[in-house]
Amino acid sequence: MLTEQTIRKTLKFVLKKVDLPSLKSKEQGKVRDIYRVGQRRILITTDRISAFDRVLGYIPFKGQVLNELSAFWFDKTRDIVTNHALAFPDSNVTVAIEAQAYPVEMVVRGYLSGVTSTSIWKAYENGERIIYGIKFPDGMKKNQKLPHPIITPTTKAEHGQHDRKLTEKEILAKKIIKAKDWKQMKQAALALFERGSKICSRAGIILVDTKYEFADYKGKLMLIDEIHTPDSSRFWKKETYLKRLKEGQEPENFDKEFLRLWYAHKGYIGDGEPPKMTEDLIVKTARRYIAIFEMITGKKFIARKYPVLEEINKNMEKYFRLPYK
Ligand SMILES: Nc1ncnc2c1ncn2[C@@H]1O[C@H](COP(=O)(O)OP(=O)(O)OP(=O)(O)O)[C@@H](O)[C@H]1O
Ligand SMILES: [Mg+2]
């Protein structure tokens, strides 16, 4: 694990954005800078961190962690569904197949939990017993494991908007996704979640919930975006889960929940100008991202040397000189 001191030294070099001089037409997501080159999509994962649907600051090594962790998972799941990754020419870059994304985020949940308006716990707490079209019995406890993982799809929100809950019925009735494709997506999402839970479990982690994005590529289902990262998933510590559940305590988490709590503590819950992240919070967050990488992959995180912009440029130039198959 990187020392706090090493992380502190990189603070002034964090990767805020990447402008590749030889390429035009950049798109910007909250976390990734994206270029389209022919049939390829160049996804550069920066150190930007988002919560409350906005960018809050920069976390050293976060881009590398996310990119390398996704690469790990793509490899571990390619027998379940093909994925968009073609090459990883740089620790922060995935070259992917540009595909037609389905307009639905496939959220899979193994536990009755969550804090946001689309979470199942918020709905359950408010007395709803049919959530996302799925029936829930009375008497369930917060953070309890569900009898089996469920799919709670949401819309993929436009910039600045919030995701909206969907149901299978609505997706099919409005023909948002064709029935045949939807069936495949469900199967793939559940199989991915099962594989993810198993691998996490061996590492002492509970995969609580996660989000997948799929696309249609030449008539075949393809997994795109990122997979089982701390940005797209929530993780709990397995060891203390049951004890804490019994005692009515929140599980120990490895996700961004502590960040939201820090903001809530400062009186910020998503409206107006967010308070500035402190150096301590940034360092702590970096260590969390690195820790989750090391636990899941079972490998030591080999941190790249900051600043990284020049090296990214060089690696990309090298990649584009290769003949494209
Ligand atoms: N292979 C692919 N083909 C097409 N689109 C993709 C592919 N892989 C990822 N994407 C899209 O690229 C974007 C990745 O950028 P990023 O993760 O920064 O976005 P975000 O913060 O999640 O959300 P937003 O796109 O709303 O800003 C996402 O919109 C994702 O849906
Ligand atoms: Mg994203």
Side-chain angles (χ1 to χ4, degrees):
M1 170 61 85
L2 288 188
T3 64
E4 283 199 13
Q5 217 184 359
T6 312
I7 298 173
R8 257 175 228 282
K9 276 194 210 147
T10 63
L11 288 178
K12 55 178 179 291
F13 301 123
V14 283
L15 187 64
K16 297 184 176 177
K17 62 175 185 138
V18 179
D19 294 304
L20 296 177
S22 57
L23 297 180
K24 282 192 294 275
S25 72
K26 185 168 97 173
E27 284 173 41
Q28 217 171 32
K30 284 186 283 294
V31 174
R32 296 178 177 79
D33 283 351
I34 300 153
Y35 290 91
R36 285 197 208 178
V37 182
Q39 302 302 302
R40 286 172 289 180
R41 186 176 187 87
I42 318 293
L43 291 153
I44 308 166
T45 310
T46 69
D47 288 337
R48 298 194 288 267
I49 188 160
S50 72
F52 309 106
D53 284 327
R54 64 186 298 166
V55 176
L56 294 171
Y58 310 96
I59 308 296
F61 307 107
K62 176 174 178 280
Q64 185 188 350
V65 164
L66 290 196
N67 194 57
E68 292 187 347
L69 191 54
S70 270
F72 167 86
W73 283 115
F74 282 137
D75 193 45
K76 296 280 181 210
T77 55
R78 66 175 76 258
D79 60 312
I80 296 172
V81 60
T82 49
N83 63 66
H84 71 168
L86 291 171
F88 302 97
D90 179 276
S91 312
N92 285 65
V93 182
T94 299
V95 176
I97 294 172
E98 174 72 36
Q100 192 58 47
Y102 289 108
V104 168
E105 307 213 328
M106 292 296 269
V107 179
V108 183
R109 301 171 189 270
Y111 292 77
L112 182 61
S113 182
V115 284
T116 61
S117 61
T118 49
S119 79
I120 50 175
W121 170 248
K122 276 282 157 230
Y124 192 87
E125 197 184 21
N126 288 336
E128 289 177 44
R129 290 296 177 266
I130 299 178
I131 310 165
Y132 290 91
I134 301 164
K135 278 203 186 102
F136 287 77
D138 282 331
M140 288 185 78
K141 274 211 269 184
K142 185 174 187 205
N143 301 327
Q144 189 182 329
K145 188 174 185 183
L146 300 172
H148 55 82
I150 58 169
I151 294 173
T152 58
T154 64
T155 56
K156 197 171 148 42
E158 298 289 324
H159 282 286
Q161 308 261 296
H162 296 290
D163 296 343
R164 184 174 65 79
K165 286 180 188 156
L166 286 168
T167 61
E168 175 169 60
K169 221 167 144 191
E170 184 182 352
I171 290 169
L172 297 175
K174 290 191 180 159
K175 298 197 167 59
I176 299 171
I177 299 176
K178 279 192 244 152
K180 185 179 122 276
D181 297 354
W182 173 248
K183 196 174 157 206
Q184 273 191 8
M185 265 169 80
K186 275 200 312 186
Q187 275 172 357
L190 291 174
L192 289 171
F193 193 75
E194 197 186 328
R195 178 72 52 85
S197 302
K198 241 184 218 153
I199 293 175
C200 283
S201 179
R202 274 186 230 137
I205 296 166
I206 295 174
L207 177 60
V208 184
D209 38 47
T210 194
K211 179 214 72 177
Y212 305 109
E213 288 185 34
F214 292 99
D216 172 69
Y217 183 66
K218 298 187 175 170
K220 274 185 80 180
L221 185 72
M222 178 177 271
L223 176 66
I224 63 165
D225 205 48
E226 61 182 334
I227 164 169
H228 301 157
T229 69
D231 273 15
S232 68
S233 322
R234 296 196 308 143
F235 302 111
W236 290 338
K237 198 176 196 170
K238 197 168 119 183
E239 199 188 332
T240 54
Y241 165 73
L242 279 178
K243 185 164 176 281
R244 292 177 76 101
L245 183 76
K246 250 188 230 148
E247 291 168 356
Q249 282 178 297
E250 282 296 309
E252 286 182 81
N253 66 71
F254 290 112
D255 46 57
K256 283 198 289 190
E257 199 52 29
F258 84 104
L259 198 71
R260 291 195 193 93
L261 287 174
W262 184 86
Y263 279 93
H265 203 68
K266 299 241 160 199
Y268 181 79
I269 48 165
D271 301 310
E273 202 45 42
K276 208 167 167 261
M277 293 177 96
T278 60
E279 239 184 70
D280 276 338
L281 181 69
I282 294 172
V283 172
K284 204 170 151 215
T285 309
R287 284 170 68 86
R288 276 197 169 220
Y289 272 83
I290 294 168
I292 198 87
F293 172 92
E294 293 193 335
M295 282 191 285
I296 291 178
T297 63
K299 283 185 256 175
K300 194 168 162 327
F301 177 68
I302 313 286
R304 65 186 308 176
K305 216 166 138 32
Y306 274 64
V308 294
L309 207 48
E310 204 177 311
E311 200 188 357
I312 293 178
N313 271 308
K314 271 194 197 142
N315 284 334
M316 294 316 292
E317 269 173 39
K318 217 186 326 174
Y319 173 77
F320 284 116
R321 276 201 298 271
L322 294 172
Y324 179 50
K325 290 172 278 174

